[in-house]
Amino acid sequence: MFRVMFHEPRIPPNTGNAIRLVAGTGCELHLVGPLGFDLSEPKLKRAGLDYHDLASVTVHENLDTAWAAVEPARVFAFTAHATVSYADIAYEPGDVLLFGPEPTGLSQEVLADPHVTERLRIPMLPGRRSLNLSNAAALVTYEAWRQHGFRGAAL
């Protein structure tokens, strides 16, 4: 339904959590390299539990190959420096939800990429830098899915 994209992720458990997220929601996970870990990393496997076989995960060598795989699609890039809230968007199936690496977030170069439809933020209290990557991805994914009546879910 939606495509969660992690650009250059660095922390294996966050990616493992995202694997569980996409397995549970029917979304796709796109990992854009270079990755900060190997996919056989035990912490990634442990965080993903037994959901690895239930998840749609694609690894892309770089952002150009990722764009080629997901086009045409709207791309929403998440950054603490945006002014539009993630909650103000009407999400559509196929949208890409783009998140940056844990220590730094998305670079200015990625945020300025012409594939990015809009920059969005998740509201936080002043003085806070960011949410955990997998938590941010889950929050936005569930909002997008909620807008579509949790299509396919057992309610």
Side-chain angles (χ1 to χ4, degrees):
M1 169 153 310
F2 301 100
R3 300 167 185 172
V4 176
M5 185 178 286
F6 284 2
H7 183 256
E8 300 181 358
R10 297 284 175 248
I11 301 175
N14 283 337
T15 299
N17 289 339
I19 289 170
R20 289 169 60 185
L21 170 67
V22 300
T25 59
C27 295
E28 300 171 1
L29 178 60
H30 293 265
L31 303 175
V32 180
L35 306 182
F37 50 86
D38 186 273
L39 290 177
S40 64
E41 167 74 38
K43 291 179 182 177
L44 180 138
K45 297 283 189 191
R46 184 170 148 244
L49 294 175
D50 56 351
Y51 289 89
H52 294 268
D53 293 341
L54 301 173
S56 172
V57 180
T58 305
V59 179
H60 305 279
E61 183 178 334
N62 54 46
L63 203 49
D64 289 334
T65 59
W67 293 145
V70 300
E71 280 189 319
R74 297 188 315 167
V75 177
F76 295 104
F78 292 85
T79 173
H81 307 290
T83 57
V84 177
S85 170
Y86 81 98
D88 293 335
I89 298 298
Y91 296 96
E92 299 173 4
D95 283 349
V96 175
L97 311 173
L98 174 62
F99 299 88
E102 293 87 340
T104 61
L106 294 168
S107 69
Q108 287 304 315
E109 179 182 351
V110 173
L111 290 169
D113 189 292
H115 293 91
V116 172
T117 305
E118 190 153 12
R119 299 175 188 186
L120 303 177
R121 74 176 289 117
I122 298 170
M124 291 181 291
L125 293 174
R128 276 46 170 203
R129 190 179 63 233
S130 66
L131 293 176
N132 170 276
L133 175 61
S134 59
N135 290 344
L139 189 147
V140 175
T141 299
Y142 268 84
E143 171 57 19
W145 196 25
R146 181 198 66 78
Q147 290 181 13
H148 291 272
F150 298 108
R151 187 179 309 147
L155 298 176

